[in-house]
Structures are given as structure tokens and as C-alpha cells.
Amino acid sequence: MIVFITGGVKNGKSSLAQDIALDLAKGEVHYYVATMIPSDEEDHCRIRRHVADRAGMGFETIECGRHICHAPRDSRGTYLLDSITALLMNELFPEEKNYEMDATAPERCAEELKQFCAGVKNAVVVSDYIYSDADRYDETTEVYRKGLAKLDRTVAELCDVLLEVVGGNLIVHKGVWPL
């Protein structure tokens, strides 16, 4: 089963994703795929909070900030991938290219997400919903927003269940609520 969770930043998506992943795993091995590559103290704080939130839940952590299809996978495992928002940022501005934008990243990331999801029993995928306002942004930000929208559409097509968290409220857009 593939569950896709989207919604606003700091709206409870990660906690919900953990609950769903644990339920899907049914006591079997479950993995947390951490995609954030920290760049400042705020990122480090966020990572520490996420680690503390899942303490004692039995997740095996896999750090994979880029090339998600290369993350170790167990075809019988349940994976919580948090988040494709960070994954795209890492792919779009790779360190080895001196953080210059790689415009091919969204297409490549979409294909790798398909491969990743096809190779696991269960996946819970988290993304931030950041592209619905009407503001116009600089070209770089627009490339990122459009790329994230592409990745979200890709996962939305693959998933069995699509959930949106809005102001702490849950909206089911596709499938049946898994808990």
C-alpha cells in the first residue's frame, strides 16, 4: 500500500505518517527514510525533534538525501519517506555542482520515486503543500514549486490513499482512511 500525505508545513503530517507506517507494518520491520540534508541550526533542530518524536517506535533510520532509488529496500518492509520536499531541494541544488540549480532534477526525482515505491511492500510518503498561492516568485523558486508539484502529482497517481492535513484536520482525497 502507498499512502501519500500532504499539507501545510508543521501541520502534523510527520506524526500522522508515523502512526500510519506503524499500523501498516503490523509489528514487522519498518524504516524511516530521512531525506533532509541539514544546512543550518533550524534544520538540525527539526531533525532532533523528528528523531525524538519517533524514539521507541522501532523505526530503522535510513538517511538518503539524494537518489532515493538507491536507498536500501526490503521488498517486505514498510517505509516512511519524509519528505519529498527536502529530497527535491537536495536534488535541485546538489553540493557537487556548487549548489547550482539542476533543472533536470524534478523529472529524475519523479522516476526514482516510482522505482522506490515499486520496490517496497508499504510506503508512506510525506510532502509539503507549498504551491497553491497566487504570488509570483523568482525563477528559482518557481522551478522548485513546479518541480514539487510534479513530484506530488507523480506520487498521487501511484498511491492507494491520498491524505491532506489542513489546520490539524484530515481530508481524504483518494482511497480509504488507513487507520
Side-chain angles (χ1 to χ4, degrees), residues 24-37:
L24 291 173
K26 296 188 184 352
E28 294 184 7
V29 66
H30 43 285
Y31 305 91
Y32 183 97
V33 183
T35 61
M36 181 178 278
I37 298 174

Side-chain angles (χ1 to χ4, degrees), residues 56-102:
M57 293 182 179
F59 282 99
E60 290 185 30
T61 300
I62 299 169
E63 293 190 20
C64 186
R66 297 202 49 225
H67 305 295
I68 197 67
C69 66
H70 295 159
R73 283 175 283 168
D74 169 357
S75 63
R76 298 161 305 180
T78 295
Y79 289 77
L80 191 172
L81 193 160
D82 195 358
S83 74
I84 61 176
T85 312
L87 180 66
L88 177 60
M89 181 65 73
N90 303 335
E91 294 283 2
L92 203 54
F93 301 101
E95 181 179 16
E96 71 271 10
K97 292 187 177 183
N98 294 320
Y99 303 102
E100 291 196 26
M101 187 170 59
D102 176 0

